[in-house]
Amino acid sequence: MSSQNDLGIPLNHAPDGIGYKLLELPPELLALLESDNPPVLNIEPSTNSAILKCGTQSWGLRQKNTSNALILLKSSDGTNSSSSQISEGTLKTIATVRDTIELVSEPTEKTAPVSRGKWHEKFARGR
């Protein structure tokens, strides 16, 4: 039978003021970064977004909003309020992340943009 005295793990709200962004890595880039000789990554500007380059491969950085926030936790040692000699583990919520950054594969060759015409010209022909 459970005891009423068992309060579980204390959870404290303690933001650390650092703006966290989570970066989703494609499997091929993750494998390169975890290798014995990881490559150097470069970030370059582009007209739409930043481009992450690694050798001949490149990825565009795109922000993606999530419907469920991700809460980053950090464990810390606290003291029990009933007896200051007994140490107990506590959790701190240090940040809440509501969006992530995904890497979208970019073509390595620069191609000229295709002229698509105006919207009304595109759809008026079908009427």
Coordinates of all heavy atoms in Angstrom, one line a residue, residues 13-106:
H13 N 10.6 25.2 -10.7 CA 10.7 26.0 -12.0 C 11.9 26.9 -11.7 O 11.9 27.8 -10.9 CB 9.5 26.8 -12.2 CG 9.5 27.7 -13.4 ND1 9.5 27.2 -14.7 CD2 9.6 29.0 -13.5 CE1 9.6 28.1 -15.5 NE2 9.6 29.3 -14.9
A14 N 13.0 26.7 -12.5 CA 14.2 27.5 -12.3 C 14.8 27.8 -13.7 O 15.8 27.2 -14.1 CB 15.2 26.7 -11.5
P15 N 14.2 28.7 -14.5 CA 14.8 29.0 -15.8 C 16.2 29.6 -15.7 O 16.5 30.4 -14.8 CB 13.8 30.0 -16.4 CG 13.0 30.5 -15.3 CD 13.1 29.5 -14.2
D16 N 17.1 29.2 -16.6 CA 18.5 29.6 -16.5 C 18.7 30.8 -17.5 O 19.9 31.3 -17.5 CB 19.4 28.5 -16.8 CG 19.3 27.9 -18.2 OD1 18.4 28.4 -18.9 OD2 20.0 26.9 -18.4
G17 N 17.7 31.3 -18.2 CA 17.9 32.5 -19.0 C 18.6 32.2 -20.4 O 18.8 33.2 -21.1
I18 N 18.9 31.0 -20.7 CA 19.5 30.7 -22.0 C 18.4 30.3 -23.0 O 17.5 29.5 -22.6 CB 20.5 29.5 -21.8 CG1 21.6 29.9 -20.9 CG2 21.1 29.1 -23.2 CD1 22.6 28.7 -20.5
G19 N 18.4 30.9 -24.1 CA 17.5 30.5 -25.2 C 17.9 29.3 -25.9 O 18.8 29.3 -26.7
Y20 N 17.2 28.2 -25.6 CA 17.6 26.9 -26.3 C 16.9 26.7 -27.6 O 15.7 27.1 -27.7 CB 17.2 25.7 -25.3 CG 18.1 25.7 -24.1 CD1 17.7 26.2 -22.9 CD2 19.3 25.0 -24.1 CE1 18.5 26.2 -21.8 CE2 20.1 24.9 -23.0 CZ 19.7 25.5 -21.8 OH 20.5 25.5 -20.7
K21 N 17.5 26.1 -28.5 CA 16.9 25.7 -29.8 C 17.4 24.2 -30.0 O 18.5 23.9 -29.9 CB 17.4 26.5 -31.0 CG 17.0 28.0 -30.9 CD 15.6 28.1 -31.3 CE 15.1 29.5 -31.4 NZ 13.8 29.7 -31.6
L22 N 16.4 23.4 -30.3 CA 16.8 22.0 -30.6 C 16.9 21.9 -32.1 O 16.2 22.4 -32.9 CB 15.7 21.1 -30.1 CG 15.5 21.1 -28.6 CD1 14.3 20.1 -28.3 CD2 16.7 20.7 -27.9
L23 N 18.0 21.2 -32.5 CA 18.3 21.0 -33.9 C 18.2 19.5 -34.3 O 18.8 18.6 -33.7 CB 19.8 21.4 -34.1 CG 20.4 21.4 -35.5 CD1 19.6 22.4 -36.4 CD2 21.8 21.7 -35.5
E24 N 17.3 19.2 -35.2 CA 17.1 17.9 -35.7 C 18.1 17.6 -36.8 O 18.2 18.2 -37.8 CB 15.7 17.7 -36.3 CG 14.6 17.8 -35.3 CD 13.2 17.5 -36.0 OE1 13.2 16.9 -37.0 OE2 12.3 18.0 -35.4
L25 N 19.0 16.6 -36.5 CA 20.0 16.2 -37.5 C 19.6 15.1 -38.4 O 19.1 14.1 -37.9 CB 21.3 15.9 -36.8 CG 22.0 16.9 -35.9 CD1 23.2 16.3 -35.2 CD2 22.4 18.1 -36.7
P26 N 19.9 15.2 -39.7 CA 19.6 14.0 -40.6 C 20.6 12.9 -40.2 O 21.7 13.2 -39.7 CB 19.9 14.6 -42.0 CG 20.4 15.9 -41.8 CD 20.3 16.3 -40.4
P27 N 20.2 11.6 -40.5 CA 21.0 10.5 -40.1 C 22.5 10.6 -40.7 O 23.4 10.2 -40.0 CB 20.3 9.3 -40.6 CG 18.9 9.7 -40.7 CD 18.9 11.2 -41.0
E28 N 22.6 11.0 -41.9 CA 23.9 11.0 -42.5 C 24.8 12.1 -41.9 O 26.0 11.8 -41.7 CB 23.8 11.3 -44.1 CG 23.2 12.6 -44.5 CD 21.7 12.5 -44.7 OE1 21.1 11.6 -44.3 OE2 21.2 13.5 -45.2
L29 N 24.3 13.2 -41.5 CA 25.1 14.2 -40.8 C 25.5 13.7 -39.4 O 26.6 13.9 -38.9 CB 24.4 15.5 -40.7 CG 25.1 16.7 -40.1 CD1 26.5 16.9 -40.7 CD2 24.3 17.9 -40.1
L30 N 24.5 13.1 -38.7 CA 24.8 12.6 -37.4 C 25.9 11.6 -37.4 O 26.8 11.6 -36.5 CB 23.5 12.0 -36.8 CG 23.6 11.4 -35.4 CD1 24.0 12.5 -34.4 CD2 22.3 10.7 -35.0
A31 N 25.9 10.7 -38.4 CA 27.0 9.7 -38.5 C 28.3 10.3 -38.8 O 29.3 9.9 -38.2 CB 26.6 8.7 -39.7
L32 N 28.3 11.4 -39.6 CA 29.6 12.1 -39.8 C 30.1 12.8 -38.5 O 31.3 12.7 -38.2 CB 29.4 13.2 -40.9 CG 29.3 12.7 -42.3 CD1 28.9 13.9 -43.2 CD2 30.6 12.1 -42.8
L33 N 29.2 13.4 -37.7 CA 29.6 14.1 -36.5 C 30.1 13.1 -35.4 O 30.9 13.4 -34.6 CB 28.5 14.9 -36.0 CG 28.2 16.1 -36.9 CD1 26.9 16.9 -36.3 CD2 29.3 17.1 -37.0
E34 N 29.5 11.9 -35.4 CA 29.9 10.9 -34.4 C 31.1 10.0 -34.8 O 31.6 9.2 -34.1 CB 28.7 9.9 -34.1 CG 27.6 10.6 -33.4 CD 26.4 9.7 -33.1 OE1 26.2 8.7 -33.9 OE2 25.7 10.0 -32.2
S35 N 31.7 10.3 -36.0 CA 32.8 9.5 -36.5 C 34.1 9.9 -35.8 O 34.1 10.9 -35.0 CB 33.0 9.7 -38.0 OG 33.4 11.1 -38.3
D36 N 35.1 9.1 -36.0 CA 36.4 9.4 -35.3 C 37.0 10.7 -35.7 O 37.8 11.4 -35.0 CB 37.4 8.3 -35.6 CG 37.0 7.0 -34.9 OD1 36.2 7.1 -33.9 OD2 37.4 5.9 -35.4
N37 N 36.8 11.1 -37.0 CA 37.3 12.4 -37.5 C 36.2 13.3 -38.0 O 35.9 13.3 -39.2 CB 38.3 12.1 -38.6 CG 39.1 13.3 -39.0 OD1 39.1 14.3 -38.4 ND2 39.7 13.2 -40.2
P38 N 35.5 14.0 -37.1 CA 34.3 14.8 -37.5 C 34.7 15.9 -38.4 O 35.7 16.5 -38.2 CB 33.7 15.2 -36.2 CG 34.8 15.1 -35.2 CD 35.7 14.1 -35.6
P39 N 33.8 16.3 -39.3 CA 34.1 17.4 -40.2 C 33.9 18.7 -39.6 O 33.2 18.8 -38.6 CB 33.2 17.1 -41.4 CG 32.0 16.5 -40.8 CD 32.6 15.6 -39.7
V40 N 34.3 19.8 -40.3 CA 34.1 21.1 -39.9 C 32.8 21.6 -40.6 O 32.6 21.3 -41.8 CB 35.2 22.1 -40.3 CG1 34.9 23.5 -40.0 CG2 36.5 21.7 -39.6
L41 N 31.9 22.2 -39.8 CA 30.6 22.7 -40.3 C 30.7 24.2 -40.5 O 31.3 24.9 -39.7 CB 29.5 22.3 -39.4 CG 29.2 20.9 -39.1 CD1 28.1 20.7 -38.1 CD2 28.9 20.1 -40.3
N42 N 30.1 24.7 -41.6 CA 30.0 26.1 -41.8 C 28.6 26.5 -42.0 O 27.8 25.8 -42.6 CB 30.8 26.5 -43.1 CG 32.3 26.2 -42.9 OD1 32.9 26.5 -41.9 ND2 32.9 25.6 -44.0
I43 N 28.3 27.7 -41.6 CA 26.9 28.3 -41.8 C 27.1 29.5 -42.7 O 27.9 30.4 -42.4 CB 26.2 28.7 -40.5 CG1 26.0 27.4 -39.6 CG2 24.9 29.4 -40.7 CD1 25.3 27.7 -38.3
E44 N 26.3 29.6 -43.8 CA 26.4 30.6 -44.7 C 25.0 31.2 -44.9 O 24.0 30.5 -44.8 CB 26.9 30.1 -46.1 CG 28.3 29.6 -46.0 CD 28.8 29.1 -47.3 OE1 28.1 29.2 -48.4 OE2 30.0 28.6 -47.4
P45 N 24.9 32.5 -45.2 CA 23.6 33.1 -45.4 C 23.0 32.8 -46.8 O 23.8 32.4 -47.7 CB 23.8 34.6 -45.3 CG 25.3 34.8 -45.7 CD 26.0 33.5 -45.3
S46 N 21.7 32.8 -47.0 CA 21.1 32.6 -48.2 C 19.9 33.5 -48.3 O 19.5 34.2 -47.3 CB 20.7 31.2 -48.4 OG 19.4 30.9 -48.4
T47 N 19.2 33.6 -49.4 CA 18.0 34.5 -49.5 C 16.8 34.0 -48.7 O 16.1 34.8 -48.2 CB 17.5 34.6 -51.0 OG1 17.3 33.2 -51.5 CG2 18.6 35.2 -51.8
N48 N 16.7 32.7 -48.5 CA 15.5 32.2 -47.7 C 15.9 31.8 -46.3 O 15.1 32.1 -45.4 CB 15.0 30.9 -48.4 CG 14.5 31.2 -49.7 OD1 14.1 32.3 -50.0 ND2 14.5 30.2 -50.6
S49 N 17.1 31.3 -46.0 CA 17.4 30.9 -44.7 C 18.9 30.7 -44.6 O 19.6 30.9 -45.6 CB 16.7 29.6 -44.3 OG 17.3 28.5 -45.1
A50 N 19.4 30.3 -43.5 CA 20.8 30.0 -43.3 C 21.1 28.6 -43.9 O 20.2 27.8 -43.9 CB 21.2 30.0 -41.9
I51 N 22.3 28.4 -44.4 CA 22.6 27.1 -45.0 C 23.8 26.5 -44.2 O 24.8 27.2 -44.0 CB 23.1 27.3 -46.5 CG1 22.0 28.0 -47.3 CG2 23.5 26.0 -47.1 CD1 20.8 27.1 -47.6
L52 N 23.6 25.3 -43.8 CA 24.7 24.6 -43.1 C 25.4 23.7 -44.1 O 24.8 22.9 -44.8 CB 24.1 23.7 -42.0 CG 25.0 22.9 -41.2 CD1 25.9 23.7 -40.3 CD2 24.3 21.8 -40.4
K53 N 26.7 23.9 -44.2 CA 27.5 23.2 -45.2 C 28.5 22.3 -44.5 O 29.1 22.7 -43.5 CB 28.2 24.2 -46.1 CG 27.3 24.9 -47.0 CD 28.0 25.5 -48.1 CE 27.0 26.1 -49.1 NZ 27.5 26.4 -50.4
C54 N 28.7 21.1 -45.1 CA 29.6 20.1 -44.6 C 30.2 19.4 -45.9 O 29.6 18.6 -46.4 CB 28.9 19.1 -43.7 SG 30.0 17.7 -43.2
G55 N 31.4 19.9 -46.3 CA 32.0 19.3 -47.5 C 31.1 19.7 -48.7 O 30.9 20.9 -48.9
T56 N 30.7 18.7 -49.4 CA 29.8 19.0 -50.6 C 28.4 19.0 -50.3 O 27.6 19.3 -51.2 CB 30.1 17.9 -51.7 OG1 29.8 16.6 -51.2 CG2 31.6 18.0 -52.1
Q57 N 28.0 18.6 -49.1 CA 26.6 18.5 -48.8 C 26.1 19.9 -48.1 O 26.9 20.5 -47.4 CB 26.3 17.4 -47.8 CG 26.6 16.0 -48.4 CD 26.4 14.9 -47.4 OE1 26.7 15.1 -46.2 NE2 25.8 13.8 -47.8
S58 N 24.9 20.2 -48.3 CA 24.4 21.4 -47.7 C 22.9 21.2 -47.3 O 22.2 20.5 -47.9 CB 24.5 22.6 -48.6 OG 23.8 22.5 -49.8
W59 N 22.5 21.9 -46.2 CA 21.2 21.8 -45.6 C 20.7 23.2 -45.3 O 21.4 24.0 -44.7 CB 21.1 20.9 -44.4 CG 21.5 19.5 -44.6 CD1 20.7 18.5 -44.9 CD2 22.8 18.9 -44.4 NE1 21.4 17.3 -45.0 CE2 22.7 17.6 -44.7 CE3 24.0 19.4 -44.1 CZ2 23.8 16.7 -44.7 CZ3 25.1 18.6 -44.1 CH2 25.0 17.2 -44.3
G60 N 19.4 23.5 -45.6 CA 18.8 24.7 -45.2 C 18.2 24.5 -43.8 O 17.7 23.5 -43.4
L61 N 18.4 25.6 -42.9 CA 17.8 25.5 -41.6 C 16.4 26.1 -41.6 O 16.2 27.2 -42.1 CB 18.7 26.4 -40.6 CG 19.9 25.7 -40.1 CD1 21.0 25.5 -41.1 CD2 20.5 26.5 -38.9
R62 N 15.4 25.4 -41.2 CA 14.0 25.8 -41.2 C 13.5 25.6 -39.7 O 13.6 24.6 -39.1 CB 13.2 24.9 -42.1 CG 13.7 24.8 -43.5 CD 13.4 26.1 -44.3 NE 13.6 25.8 -45.7 CZ 14.7 26.1 -46.4 NH1 15.7 26.5 -45.7 NH2 14.8 25.9 -47.7
Q63 N 12.8 26.7 -39.3 CA 12.1 26.6 -38.0 C 10.8 25.9 -38.1 O 10.0 26.1 -39.0 CB 11.9 28.0 -37.4 CG 11.3 28.0 -36.0 CD 11.3 29.3 -35.4 OE1 12.2 30.1 -35.5 NE2 10.2 29.7 -34.7
K64 N 10.6 25.0 -37.1 CA 9.4 24.2 -37.1 C 8.7 24.3 -35.8 O 9.3 24.0 -34.7 CB 9.8 22.7 -37.4 CG 8.7 21.8 -37.8 CD 9.2 20.5 -38.3 CE 9.8 19.7 -37.2 NZ 10.1 18.3 -37.5
N65 N 7.5 24.8 -35.7 CA 6.8 24.9 -34.5 C 6.2 23.6 -34.1 O 5.7 22.8 -34.9 CB 5.7 25.9 -34.6 CG 6.2 27.3 -34.8 OD1 7.3 27.6 -34.4 ND2 5.5 28.2 -35.5
T66 N 6.1 23.3 -32.8 CA 5.5 22.0 -32.3 C 4.3 22.4 -31.5 O 4.2 23.4 -30.9 CB 6.5 21.3 -31.3 OG1 6.8 22.1 -30.2 CG2 7.8 20.9 -32.0
S67 N 3.3 21.5 -31.6 CA 2.0 21.7 -30.9 C 2.2 21.4 -29.4 O 1.5 22.0 -28.6 CB 0.9 20.8 -31.5 OG 1.3 19.5 -31.4
N68 N 3.1 20.6 -29.0 CA 3.4 20.3 -27.6 C 4.8 20.8 -27.3 O 5.8 20.5 -27.9 CB 3.4 18.8 -27.4 CG 2.0 18.2 -27.7 OD1 1.0 18.8 -27.4 ND2 2.0 17.0 -28.2
A69 N 4.8 21.6 -26.2 CA 6.1 22.2 -25.8 C 7.0 21.1 -25.2 O 6.5 20.1 -24.6 CB 5.9 23.3 -24.8
L70 N 8.3 21.2 -25.4 CA 9.3 20.3 -24.8 C 9.9 21.0 -23.6 O 10.3 22.2 -23.7 CB 10.4 20.0 -25.8 CG 9.9 19.4 -27.1 CD1 11.0 19.3 -28.1 CD2 9.4 18.0 -26.9
I71 N 9.9 20.3 -22.5 CA 10.4 20.9 -21.2 C 11.8 20.3 -21.0 O 11.9 19.1 -20.9 CB 9.4 20.7 -20.1 CG1 8.1 21.3 -20.4 CG2 10.0 21.2 -18.8 CD1 7.0 21.0 -19.4
L72 N 12.8 21.1 -20.8 CA 14.1 20.7 -20.5 C 14.3 20.6 -19.0 O 14.0 21.6 -18.3 CB 15.2 21.6 -21.1 CG 15.2 21.7 -22.7 CD1 16.3 22.6 -23.1 CD2 15.3 20.3 -23.3
L73 N 14.7 19.5 -18.5 CA 14.9 19.3 -17.1 C 16.4 19.1 -16.7 O 17.1 18.6 -17.5 CB 14.1 18.0 -16.6 CG 12.6 18.0 -16.9 CD1 12.1 16.6 -16.5 CD2 11.9 19.0 -16.1
K74 N 16.7 19.5 -15.5 CA 18.1 19.3 -15.0 C 17.9 18.8 -13.6 O 17.2 19.3 -12.8 CB 18.8 20.7 -15.0 CG 20.2 20.6 -14.5 CD 20.9 22.0 -14.6 CE 22.3 21.9 -14.1 NZ 22.9 23.2 -14.2
S75 N 18.7 17.7 -13.3 CA 18.6 17.1 -12.0 C 19.6 17.9 -11.1 O 20.6 18.5 -11.5 CB 19.1 15.7 -12.0 OG 20.4 15.6 -12.4
S76 N 19.2 18.0 -9.8 CA 20.0 18.7 -8.9 C 19.8 18.0 -7.5 O 18.8 17.3 -7.3 CB 19.7 20.2 -8.8 OG 18.3 20.3 -8.3
D77 N 20.8 18.2 -6.6 CA 20.7 17.7 -5.3 C 20.1 18.7 -4.4 O 20.5 19.9 -4.4 CB 22.0 17.2 -4.8 CG 22.5 16.0 -5.5 OD1 21.7 15.2 -5.9 OD2 23.8 15.9 -5.6
G78 N 19.1 18.3 -3.6 CA 18.5 19.2 -2.7 C 18.5 18.6 -1.3 O 19.1 17.5 -1.1
T79 N 18.0 19.3 -0.3 CA 18.0 18.7 1.0 C 16.5 18.6 1.4 O 15.7 19.4 1.0 CB 18.7 19.6 2.0 OG1 18.1 20.9 2.0 CG2 20.2 19.7 1.8
N80 N 16.3 17.5 2.1 CA 14.9 17.2 2.6 C 14.5 18.3 3.6 O 15.3 18.6 4.5 CB 14.9 15.8 3.2 CG 13.5 15.3 3.4 OD1 12.6 16.1 3.5 ND2 13.4 14.0 3.5
S81 N 13.3 18.8 3.5 CA 12.9 19.9 4.5 C 12.7 19.3 5.9 O 12.9 20.1 6.8 CB 11.6 20.5 4.0 OG 10.6 19.5 3.9
S82 N 12.4 18.0 6.0 CA 12.2 17.5 7.4 C 13.5 17.2 8.1 O 13.6 17.2 9.3 CB 11.3 16.3 7.3 OG 12.0 15.3 6.6
S83 N 14.5 16.9 7.3 CA 15.8 16.6 7.9 C 16.9 17.1 6.9 O 17.1 16.5 5.9 CB 16.0 15.0 8.1 OG 17.3 14.8 8.5
S84 N 17.6 18.1 7.3 CA 18.6 18.7 6.4 C 19.8 17.8 6.2 O 20.6 18.1 5.3 CB 19.0 20.1 7.0 OG 19.7 19.8 8.2
Q85 N 19.9 16.7 6.9 CA 21.0 15.8 6.6 C 20.8 14.8 5.5 O 21.7 14.3 5.0 CB 21.3 15.0 7.9 CG 21.8 15.9 9.1 CD 21.9 15.1 10.3 OE1 21.5 14.0 10.4 NE2 22.5 15.7 11.4
I86 N 19.5 14.6 5.1 CA 19.2 13.7 4.1 C 19.1 14.4 2.8 O 18.4 15.3 2.6 CB 17.9 13.0 4.4 CG1 18.0 12.2 5.7 CG2 17.5 12.0 3.3 CD1 16.7 11.6 6.2
S87 N 19.9 14.0 1.8 CA 19.9 14.6 0.5 C 18.9 13.8 -0.4 O 18.9 12.6 -0.4 CB 21.3 14.5 -0.1 OG 21.3 15.0 -1.4
E88 N 18.2 14.6 -1.2 CA 17.2 13.9 -2.1 C 17.4 14.6 -3.5 O 17.8 15.7 -3.6 CB 15.8 14.0 -1.6 CG 15.3 15.4 -1.6 CD 13.8 15.4 -1.1 OE1 13.4 14.5 -0.4 OE2 13.2 16.4 -1.4
G89 N 17.1 13.8 -4.5 CA 17.1 14.4 -5.9 C 15.9 15.2 -6.2 O 14.8 14.9 -5.8
T90 N 16.2 16.3 -6.9 CA 15.1 17.2 -7.3 C 15.3 17.4 -8.8 O 16.4 17.2 -9.3 CB 15.1 18.5 -6.6 OG1 16.3 19.2 -6.8 CG2 14.9 18.3 -5.1
L91 N 14.2 17.9 -9.5 CA 14.3 18.2 -10.9 C 14.0 19.7 -11.0 O 13.1 20.2 -10.3 CB 13.3 17.4 -11.7 CG 13.6 16.0 -11.9 CD1 12.5 15.3 -12.7 CD2 14.9 15.8 -12.7
K92 N 14.7 20.4 -11.9 CA 14.5 21.8 -12.2 C 14.0 21.9 -13.7 O 14.6 21.2 -14.5 CB 15.7 22.6 -12.0 CG 16.2 22.7 -10.6 CD 17.4 23.6 -10.6 CE 18.0 23.7 -9.2 NZ 19.3 24.5 -9.2
T93 N 13.0 22.6 -13.9 CA 12.6 22.9 -15.3 C 13.4 24.1 -15.7 O 13.2 25.2 -15.2 CB 11.1 23.2 -15.5 OG1 10.8 24.3 -14.7 CG2 10.3 22.0 -15.1
I94 N 14.4 24.0 -16.6 CA 15.3 25.1 -16.9 C 14.8 25.9 -18.2 O 15.2 27.0 -18.4 CB 16.7 24.6 -17.1 CG1 16.9 23.6 -18.2 CG2 17.3 24.2 -15.8 CD1 18.3 23.3 -18.6
A95 N 14.0 25.2 -19.0 CA 13.6 25.9 -20.3 C 12.4 25.1 -20.9 O 12.2 23.9 -20.6 CB 14.7 26.0 -21.3
T96 N 11.6 25.9 -21.6 CA 10.5 25.3 -22.4 C 10.7 25.7 -23.8 O 10.9 26.8 -24.2 CB 9.1 25.9 -21.9 OG1 9.0 25.6 -20.5 CG2 8.0 25.2 -22.7
V97 N 10.8 24.6 -24.7 CA 11.1 24.8 -26.1 C 9.8 24.6 -26.9 O 9.2 23.5 -26.8 CB 12.2 23.9 -26.6 CG1 12.5 24.1 -28.1 CG2 13.5 24.1 -25.7
R98 N 9.4 25.6 -27.7 CA 8.2 25.5 -28.5 C 8.4 25.3 -30.0 O 7.5 25.1 -30.7 CB 7.3 26.7 -28.2 CG 6.7 26.7 -26.8 CD 5.8 27.8 -26.5 NE 5.2 27.7 -25.2 CZ 5.8 28.1 -24.1 NH1 7.0 28.6 -24.1 NH2 5.1 27.9 -22.9
D99 N 9.7 25.4 -30.4 CA 10.0 25.2 -31.8 C 11.3 24.5 -31.9 O 12.2 24.6 -31.0 CB 9.9 26.5 -32.6 CG 10.7 27.6 -31.9 OD1 11.8 27.4 -31.6 OD2 10.1 28.7 -31.8
T100 N 11.5 23.9 -33.0 CA 12.8 23.2 -33.3 C 13.3 23.7 -34.7 O 12.6 24.3 -35.4 CB 12.6 21.7 -33.3 OG1 11.7 21.3 -34.3 CG2 12.2 21.1 -32.0
I101 N 14.6 23.4 -34.9 CA 15.1 23.7 -36.2 C 15.4 22.4 -36.9 O 16.1 21.5 -36.4 CB 16.4 24.5 -36.1 CG1 16.0 25.8 -35.3 CG2 17.1 24.8 -37.4 CD1 17.0 26.9 -35.3
E102 N 14.9 22.2 -38.1 CA 15.2 21.1 -38.9 C 16.1 21.4 -40.1 O 16.1 22.5 -40.5 CB 13.9 20.4 -39.4 CG 13.1 21.2 -40.4 CD 11.9 20.5 -41.0 OE1 11.8 19.3 -40.8 OE2 11.1 21.2 -41.6
L103 N 16.8 20.4 -40.5 CA 17.7 20.6 -41.7 C 17.1 20.0 -42.9 O 16.8 18.8 -42.9 CB 19.1 20.0 -41.4 CG 19.8 20.5 -40.2 CD1 21.2 19.8 -40.0 CD2 20.1 22.0 -40.3
V104 N 16.9 20.8 -43.9 CA 16.3 20.3 -45.2 C 17.4 20.3 -46.2 O 18.1 21.3 -46.4 CB 15.2 21.3 -45.6 CG1 14.6 20.8 -46.9 CG2 14.1 21.3 -44.5
S105 N 17.6 19.2 -46.9 CA 18.6 19.0 -47.9 C 18.5 20.1 -49.0 O 17.4 20.3 -49.5 CB 18.6 17.6 -48.5 OG 19.6 17.5 -49.4
E106 N 19.6 20.8 -49.3 CA 19.6 21.8 -50.4 C 20.3 21.3 -51.6 O 21.3 20.5 -51.4 CB 20.3 23.1 -49.8 CG 19.5 23.7 -48.7 CD 18.3 24.5 -49.2 OE1 18.4 25.1 -50.3 OE2 17.4 24.6 -48.5

